[in-house]
Amino acid sequence: MQHEKFGEKDFQYIIGNLLRYGVWISLSVAFIGGIVYLMGHSNDIENYSVFKENDRNIFEVISTIYNGAIQGNGESLIFVGIILLFLTPVLRVLLSLFSFLLEKDYLYVVITLIVILIILISVSFGFSH
């Protein structure tokens, strides 16, 4: 029996499915969160002339969102959907890194690591004051 090597087509198939299902799952979670939110807040009147910024660190925000999503809070579920939508292409970049490592294509490994570093720096500076 011949053992097949995990190839580029396998990674392309996995990456394609990751992107496809990642978008559908994130949209579904956000949609369900929207329905839950509207069921509880359909008569609320929002004042959009005032913007409130939260001065919390990323760990507090993630903890609040996680706890809210577990409790079925609509706003938290919407935010989880947005986070999943953001993570979908990030996971695609990570999968590409492993693909390039298996192919021993070190130029693209370096380029992919630079992209990952840029994403990490962007997220870090986005939550710092």
Side-chain angles (χ1 to χ4, degrees):
M1 188 191 290
Q2 187 176 350
H3 188 320
E4 286 190 34
K5 191 172 136 183
F6 198 73
E8 183 180 346
K9 284 189 177 189
D10 297 320
F11 263 108
Q12 295 303 323
Y13 179 76
I14 291 170
I15 289 170
N17 282 335
L18 169 74
L19 294 173
R20 184 177 304 111
Y21 295 125
V23 169
W24 278 110
I25 290 169
S26 62
L27 290 176
S28 298
V29 170
F31 183 75
I32 291 168
I35 291 172
V36 170
Y37 179 79
L38 288 176
M39 287 173 52
H41 299 280
S42 60
N43 294 325
D44 291 358
I45 297 174
E46 290 292 327
N47 182 4
Y48 291 110
S49 64
V50 178
F51 178 75
K52 295 185 297 184
E53 183 177 1
N54 292 326
D55 289 332
R56 299 183 293 180
N57 68 34
I58 183 66
F59 300 110
E60 291 175 18
V61 172
I62 290 173
S63 174
T64 302
I65 291 167
Y66 175 77
N67 291 329
I70 295 297
Q71 295 169 2
N73 179 295
E75 291 172 302
S76 296
L77 289 171
I78 293 169
F79 208 93
V80 168
I82 292 169
I83 291 172
L84 289 173
L85 189 62
F86 171 76
L87 287 178
T88 299
V90 173
L91 289 174
R92 186 241 187 265
V93 172
L94 289 173
L95 279 176
S96 296
L97 176 66
F98 292 116
S99 172
F100 296 138
L101 282 169
L102 285 177
E103 295 172 15
K104 295 183 169 91
D105 195 344
Y106 298 115
L107 173 63
Y108 285 105
V109 167
V110 171
I111 292 170
T112 306
L113 286 172
I114 291 170
V115 170
I116 291 169
L117 182 65
I118 290 170
I119 291 170
L120 289 173
I121 290 171
S122 297
V123 170
S124 298
F125 284 128
F127 283 105
S128 66
H129 294 288

Tab-separated table of all heavy atoms in Angstrom, residues 83-123:
chain	number	residue	atom	x	y	z
A	83	ILE	N	-15.843	38.738	15.217
A	83	ILE	CA	-14.515	38.184	15.522
A	83	ILE	C	-14.235	36.958	14.650
A	83	ILE	O	-13.137	36.801	14.105
A	83	ILE	CB	-14.402	37.838	17.024
A	83	ILE	CG1	-14.389	39.106	17.861
A	83	ILE	CG2	-13.155	36.997	17.303
A	83	ILE	CD1	-14.482	38.880	19.355
A	84	LEU	N	-15.229	36.073	14.496
A	84	LEU	CA	-15.048	34.895	13.641
A	84	LEU	C	-14.780	35.309	12.196
A	84	LEU	O	-13.957	34.699	11.507
A	84	LEU	CB	-16.279	33.988	13.717
A	84	LEU	CG	-16.487	33.239	15.027
A	84	LEU	CD1	-17.836	32.522	15.018
A	84	LEU	CD2	-15.355	32.259	15.269
A	85	LEU	N	-15.481	36.351	11.736
A	85	LEU	CA	-15.264	36.842	10.373
A	85	LEU	C	-13.849	37.374	10.219
A	85	LEU	O	-13.195	37.137	9.198
A	85	LEU	CB	-16.298	37.914	10.032
A	85	LEU	CG	-16.335	38.380	8.586
A	85	LEU	CD1	-16.689	37.222	7.655
A	85	LEU	CD2	-17.336	39.506	8.419
A	86	PHE	N	-13.348	38.059	11.238
A	86	PHE	CA	-11.971	38.563	11.211
A	86	PHE	C	-10.958	37.418	11.248
A	86	PHE	O	-9.934	37.456	10.557
A	86	PHE	CB	-11.737	39.503	12.400
A	86	PHE	CG	-10.301	39.904	12.571
A	86	PHE	CD1	-9.720	40.843	11.745
A	86	PHE	CD2	-9.517	39.325	13.565
A	86	PHE	CE1	-8.387	41.201	11.898
A	86	PHE	CE2	-8.190	39.681	13.731
A	86	PHE	CZ	-7.629	40.625	12.894
A	87	LEU	N	-11.224	36.402	12.054
A	87	LEU	CA	-10.277	35.297	12.213
A	87	LEU	C	-10.188	34.385	10.990
A	87	LEU	O	-9.183	33.703	10.806
A	87	LEU	CB	-10.635	34.471	13.447
A	87	LEU	CG	-10.343	35.113	14.789
A	87	LEU	CD1	-10.803	34.206	15.919
A	87	LEU	CD2	-8.863	35.427	14.934
A	88	THR	N	-11.229	34.376	10.161
A	88	THR	CA	-11.241	33.481	8.994
A	88	THR	C	-10.038	33.720	8.074
A	88	THR	O	-9.287	32.777	7.787
A	88	THR	CB	-12.576	33.608	8.243
A	88	THR	OG1	-13.635	33.236	9.130
A	88	THR	CG2	-12.612	32.730	7.021
A	89	PRO	N	-9.792	34.948	7.597
A	89	PRO	CA	-8.603	35.125	6.748
A	89	PRO	C	-7.288	34.998	7.518
A	89	PRO	O	-6.267	34.628	6.941
A	89	PRO	CB	-8.771	36.536	6.164
A	89	PRO	CG	-9.748	37.216	7.027
A	89	PRO	CD	-10.609	36.160	7.645
A	90	VAL	N	-7.305	35.295	8.818
A	90	VAL	CA	-6.088	35.131	9.616
A	90	VAL	C	-5.710	33.646	9.670
A	90	VAL	O	-4.539	33.281	9.513
A	90	VAL	CB	-6.275	35.714	11.038
A	90	VAL	CG1	-5.093	35.389	11.924
A	90	VAL	CG2	-6.491	37.221	10.966
A	91	LEU	N	-6.710	32.783	9.873
A	91	LEU	CA	-6.441	31.339	9.863
A	91	LEU	C	-5.974	30.880	8.488
A	91	LEU	O	-5.151	29.966	8.381
A	91	LEU	CB	-7.693	30.564	10.290
A	91	LEU	CG	-8.057	30.693	11.763
A	91	LEU	CD1	-9.399	30.009	12.037
A	91	LEU	CD2	-6.977	30.102	12.642
A	92	ARG	N	-6.464	31.517	7.440
A	92	ARG	CA	-6.027	31.190	6.087
A	92	ARG	C	-4.537	31.497	5.937
A	92	ARG	O	-3.785	30.726	5.343
A	92	ARG	CB	-6.845	31.984	5.062
A	92	ARG	CG	-6.552	31.590	3.627
A	92	ARG	CD	-6.009	32.778	2.861
A	92	ARG	NE	-5.875	32.475	1.462
A	92	ARG	CZ	-4.755	32.048	0.908
A	92	ARG	NH1	-3.703	31.822	1.630
A	92	ARG	NH2	-4.688	31.811	-0.386
A	93	VAL	N	-4.091	32.617	6.494
A	93	VAL	CA	-2.674	32.977	6.437
A	93	VAL	C	-1.846	31.956	7.221
A	93	VAL	O	-0.783	31.522	6.760
A	93	VAL	CB	-2.450	34.416	6.970
A	93	VAL	CG1	-0.975	34.733	7.106
A	93	VAL	CG2	-3.119	35.429	6.064
A	94	LEU	N	-2.337	31.535	8.388
A	94	LEU	CA	-1.606	30.531	9.175
A	94	LEU	C	-1.519	29.197	8.434
A	94	LEU	O	-0.471	28.542	8.444
A	94	LEU	CB	-2.271	30.350	10.534
A	94	LEU	CG	-2.118	31.519	11.507
A	94	LEU	CD1	-2.963	31.289	12.754
A	94	LEU	CD2	-0.658	31.708	11.880
A	95	LEU	N	-2.620	28.787	7.795
A	95	LEU	CA	-2.584	27.547	7.008
A	95	LEU	C	-1.614	27.663	5.837
A	95	LEU	O	-0.913	26.704	5.495
A	95	LEU	CB	-3.974	27.183	6.504
A	95	LEU	CG	-4.885	26.476	7.486
A	95	LEU	CD1	-6.266	26.273	6.877
A	95	LEU	CD2	-4.298	25.145	7.894
A	96	SER	N	-1.569	28.848	5.228
A	96	SER	CA	-0.624	29.069	4.132
A	96	SER	C	0.810	28.924	4.617
A	96	SER	O	1.664	28.385	3.910
A	96	SER	CB	-0.824	30.461	3.526
A	96	SER	OG	-2.089	30.575	2.948
A	97	LEU	N	1.061	29.401	5.841
A	97	LEU	CA	2.404	29.270	6.412
A	97	LEU	C	2.809	27.794	6.483
A	97	LEU	O	3.913	27.430	6.077
A	97	LEU	CB	2.446	29.909	7.803
A	97	LEU	CG	3.755	29.773	8.571
A	97	LEU	CD1	4.871	30.546	7.874
A	97	LEU	CD2	3.584	30.248	9.996
A	98	PHE	N	1.911	26.953	6.981
A	98	PHE	CA	2.223	25.517	7.067
A	98	PHE	C	2.383	24.899	5.677
A	98	PHE	O	3.229	24.041	5.469
A	98	PHE	CB	1.158	24.783	7.871
A	98	PHE	CG	1.161	25.158	9.320
A	98	PHE	CD1	0.079	25.796	9.881
A	98	PHE	CD2	2.258	24.898	10.123
A	98	PHE	CE1	0.083	26.162	11.220
A	98	PHE	CE2	2.282	25.252	11.456
A	98	PHE	CZ	1.193	25.887	12.011
A	99	SER	N	1.576	25.349	4.740
A	99	SER	CA	1.687	24.857	3.369
A	99	SER	C	3.059	25.189	2.791
A	99	SER	O	3.718	24.335	2.193
A	99	SER	CB	0.576	25.474	2.511
A	99	SER	OG	0.758	25.167	1.157
A	100	PHE	N	3.496	26.429	2.980
A	100	PHE	CA	4.801	26.837	2.457
A	100	PHE	C	5.941	26.118	3.174
A	100	PHE	O	6.963	25.806	2.564
A	100	PHE	CB	4.975	28.350	2.566
A	100	PHE	CG	3.996	29.134	1.734
A	100	PHE	CD1	3.398	30.273	2.232
A	100	PHE	CD2	3.671	28.727	0.446
A	100	PHE	CE1	2.495	31.001	1.483
A	100	PHE	CE2	2.764	29.442	-0.325
A	100	PHE	CZ	2.177	30.585	0.201
A	101	LEU	N	5.764	25.839	4.474
A	101	LEU	CA	6.791	25.086	5.197
A	101	LEU	C	6.919	23.666	4.648
A	101	LEU	O	8.028	23.152	4.475
A	101	LEU	CB	6.476	25.050	6.691
A	101	LEU	CG	6.812	26.314	7.483
A	101	LEU	CD1	6.217	26.249	8.883
A	101	LEU	CD2	8.327	26.495	7.556
A	102	LEU	N	5.775	23.020	4.390
A	102	LEU	CA	5.812	21.663	3.836
A	102	LEU	C	6.424	21.633	2.445
A	102	LEU	O	7.109	20.679	2.077
A	102	LEU	CB	4.406	21.068	3.792
A	102	LEU	CG	3.837	20.609	5.131
A	102	LEU	CD1	2.402	20.116	4.954
A	102	LEU	CD2	4.696	19.506	5.721
A	103	GLU	N	6.183	22.691	1.663
A	103	GLU	CA	6.743	22.761	0.314
A	103	GLU	C	8.197	23.219	0.310
A	103	GLU	O	8.841	23.247	-0.734
A	103	GLU	CB	5.913	23.732	-0.536
A	103	GLU	CG	4.503	23.279	-0.786
A	103	GLU	CD	3.674	24.347	-1.466
A	103	GLU	OE1	4.252	25.327	-1.991
A	103	GLU	OE2	2.445	24.213	-1.485
A	104	LYS	N	8.684	23.626	1.510
A	104	LYS	CA	10.048	24.142	1.660
A	104	LYS	C	10.269	25.382	0.788
A	104	LYS	O	11.342	25.589	0.233
A	104	LYS	CB	11.083	23.072	1.368
A	104	LYS	CG	11.032	21.946	2.373
A	104	LYS	CD	12.114	20.943	2.096
A	104	LYS	CE	12.241	19.976	3.212
A	104	LYS	NZ	11.533	18.803	3.217
A	105	ASP	N	9.216	26.215	0.682
A	105	ASP	CA	9.279	27.461	-0.071
A	105	ASP	C	9.533	28.588	0.933
A	105	ASP	O	8.616	29.272	1.382
A	105	ASP	CB	7.964	27.681	-0.824
A	105	ASP	CG	8.081	28.734	-1.895
A	105	ASP	OD1	9.064	29.503	-1.862
A	105	ASP	OD2	7.189	28.795	-2.757
A	106	TYR	N	10.810	28.764	1.284
A	106	TYR	CA	11.180	29.614	2.412
A	106	TYR	C	10.982	31.108	2.139
A	106	TYR	O	10.778	31.875	3.079
A	106	TYR	CB	12.606	29.310	2.856
A	106	TYR	CG	12.724	27.881	3.339
A	106	TYR	CD1	13.499	26.955	2.667
A	106	TYR	CD2	12.004	27.465	4.451
A	106	TYR	CE1	13.579	25.638	3.101
A	106	TYR	CE2	12.075	26.154	4.896
A	106	TYR	CZ	12.856	25.251	4.217
A	106	TYR	OH	12.922	23.948	4.641
A	107	LEU	N	11.021	31.526	0.888
A	107	LEU	CA	10.736	32.924	0.574
A	107	LEU	C	9.304	33.263	0.997
A	107	LEU	O	9.059	34.279	1.662
A	107	LEU	CB	10.923	33.206	-0.916
A	107	LEU	CG	10.499	34.605	-1.373
A	107	LEU	CD1	11.347	35.677	-0.707
A	107	LEU	CD2	10.571	34.701	-2.884
A	108	TYR	N	8.357	32.405	0.653
A	108	TYR	CA	6.961	32.643	1.025
A	108	TYR	C	6.715	32.414	2.514
A	108	TYR	O	5.801	33.015	3.083
A	108	TYR	CB	6.021	31.797	0.168
A	108	TYR	CG	5.891	32.367	-1.221
A	108	TYR	CD1	6.534	31.767	-2.291
A	108	TYR	CD2	5.144	33.510	-1.446
A	108	TYR	CE1	6.428	32.295	-3.568
A	108	TYR	CE2	5.037	34.044	-2.705
A	108	TYR	CZ	5.682	33.439	-3.767
A	108	TYR	OH	5.574	33.971	-5.025
A	109	VAL	N	7.526	31.580	3.149
A	109	VAL	CA	7.439	31.429	4.607
A	109	VAL	C	7.776	32.763	5.263
A	109	VAL	O	7.054	33.232	6.156
A	109	VAL	CB	8.384	30.318	5.119
A	109	VAL	CG1	8.517	30.377	6.639
A	109	VAL	CG2	7.893	28.949	4.678
A	110	VAL	N	8.851	33.403	4.815
A	110	VAL	CA	9.264	34.698	5.372
A	110	VAL	C	8.198	35.756	5.099
A	110	VAL	O	7.825	36.528	5.995
A	110	VAL	CB	10.637	35.132	4.804
A	110	VAL	CG1	10.965	36.566	5.199
A	110	VAL	CG2	11.725	34.181	5.271
A	111	ILE	N	7.677	35.809	3.886
A	111	ILE	CA	6.637	36.786	3.542
A	111	ILE	C	5.397	36.568	4.399
A	111	ILE	O	4.814	37.522	4.926
A	111	ILE	CB	6.292	36.711	2.036
A	111	ILE	CG1	7.486	37.195	1.211
A	111	ILE	CG2	5.036	37.528	1.724
A	111	ILE	CD1	7.351	36.945	-0.288
A	112	THR	N	4.998	35.319	4.583
A	112	THR	CA	3.824	35.006	5.401
A	112	THR	C	4.055	35.373	6.861
A	112	THR	O	3.160	35.894	7.526
A	112	THR	CB	3.465	33.507	5.264
A	112	THR	OG1	3.309	33.192	3.881
A	112	THR	CG2	2.181	33.193	5.999
A	113	LEU	N	5.256	35.132	7.374
A	113	LEU	CA	5.581	35.532	8.746
A	113	LEU	C	5.518	37.056	8.909
A	113	LEU	O	5.065	37.563	9.937
A	113	LEU	CB	6.959	35.009	9.152
A	113	LEU	CG	7.026	33.511	9.451
A	113	LEU	CD1	8.477	33.075	9.639
A	113	LEU	CD2	6.193	33.171	10.668
A	114	ILE	N	5.943	37.785	7.885
A	114	ILE	CA	5.845	39.249	7.927
A	114	ILE	C	4.383	39.683	7.968
A	114	ILE	O	4.014	40.574	8.739
A	114	ILE	CB	6.588	39.880	6.722
A	114	ILE	CG1	8.095	39.669	6.875
A	114	ILE	CG2	6.255	41.370	6.590
A	114	ILE	CD1	8.907	40.038	5.644
A	115	VAL	N	3.538	39.029	7.172
A	115	VAL	CA	2.101	39.347	7.179
A	115	VAL	C	1.510	39.064	8.558
A	115	VAL	O	0.746	39.875	9.099
A	115	VAL	CB	1.353	38.556	6.080
A	115	VAL	CG1	-0.149	38.677	6.238
A	115	VAL	CG2	1.790	39.027	4.700
A	116	ILE	N	1.857	37.934	9.154
A	116	ILE	CA	1.362	37.592	10.496
A	116	ILE	C	1.839	38.628	11.513
A	116	ILE	O	1.071	39.064	12.382
A	116	ILE	CB	1.803	36.164	10.893
A	116	ILE	CG1	1.074	35.138	10.022
A	116	ILE	CG2	1.550	35.897	12.376
A	116	ILE	CD1	1.611	33.728	10.137
A	117	LEU	N	3.090	39.058	11.405
A	117	LEU	CA	3.624	40.075	12.309
A	117	LEU	C	2.865	41.395	12.153
A	117	LEU	O	2.526	42.047	13.148
A	117	LEU	CB	5.118	40.278	12.039
A	117	LEU	CG	5.833	41.280	12.930
A	117	LEU	CD1	5.844	40.794	14.379
A	117	LEU	CD2	7.250	41.493	12.443
A	118	ILE	N	2.563	41.777	10.931
A	118	ILE	CA	1.804	43.005	10.682
A	118	ILE	C	0.413	42.900	11.299
A	118	ILE	O	-0.076	43.847	11.925
A	118	ILE	CB	1.721	43.299	9.165
A	118	ILE	CG1	3.091	43.710	8.648
A	118	ILE	CG2	0.680	44.376	8.873
A	118	ILE	CD1	3.191	43.782	7.136
A	119	ILE	N	-0.229	41.749	11.164
A	119	ILE	CA	-1.556	41.548	11.765
A	119	ILE	C	-1.471	41.668	13.283
A	119	ILE	O	-2.290	42.348	13.916
A	119	ILE	CB	-2.141	40.182	11.345
A	119	ILE	CG1	-2.496	40.182	9.861
A	119	ILE	CG2	-3.376	39.847	12.184
A	119	ILE	CD1	-2.847	38.818	9.302
A	120	LEU	N	-0.473	41.020	13.886
A	120	LEU	CA	-0.320	41.083	15.345
A	120	LEU	C	-0.062	42.507	15.830
A	120	LEU	O	-0.640	42.949	16.827
A	120	LEU	CB	0.813	40.161	15.800
A	120	LEU	CG	0.528	38.670	15.714
A	120	LEU	CD1	1.787	37.868	16.029
A	120	LEU	CD2	-0.586	38.291	16.660
A	121	ILE	N	0.784	43.236	15.127
A	121	ILE	CA	1.068	44.625	15.507
A	121	ILE	C	-0.183	45.483	15.351
A	121	ILE	O	-0.503	46.301	16.215
A	121	ILE	CB	2.242	45.185	14.674
A	121	ILE	CG1	3.548	44.504	15.091
A	121	ILE	CG2	2.346	46.702	14.825
A	121	ILE	CD1	4.724	44.815	14.196
A	122	SER	N	-0.920	45.293	14.276
A	122	SER	CA	-2.131	46.075	14.041
A	122	SER	C	-3.161	45.833	15.130
A	122	SER	O	-3.773	46.778	15.637
A	122	SER	CB	-2.743	45.721	12.680
A	122	SER	OG	-1.866	46.042	11.641
A	123	VAL	N	-3.359	44.583	15.489
A	123	VAL	CA	-4.324	44.258	16.543
A	123	VAL	C	-3.844	44.808	17.876
A	123	VAL	O	-4.620	45.360	18.652
A	123	VAL	CB	-4.561	42.734	16.611
A	123	VAL	CG1	-5.357	42.359	17.846
A	123	VAL	CG2	-5.286	42.268	15.355
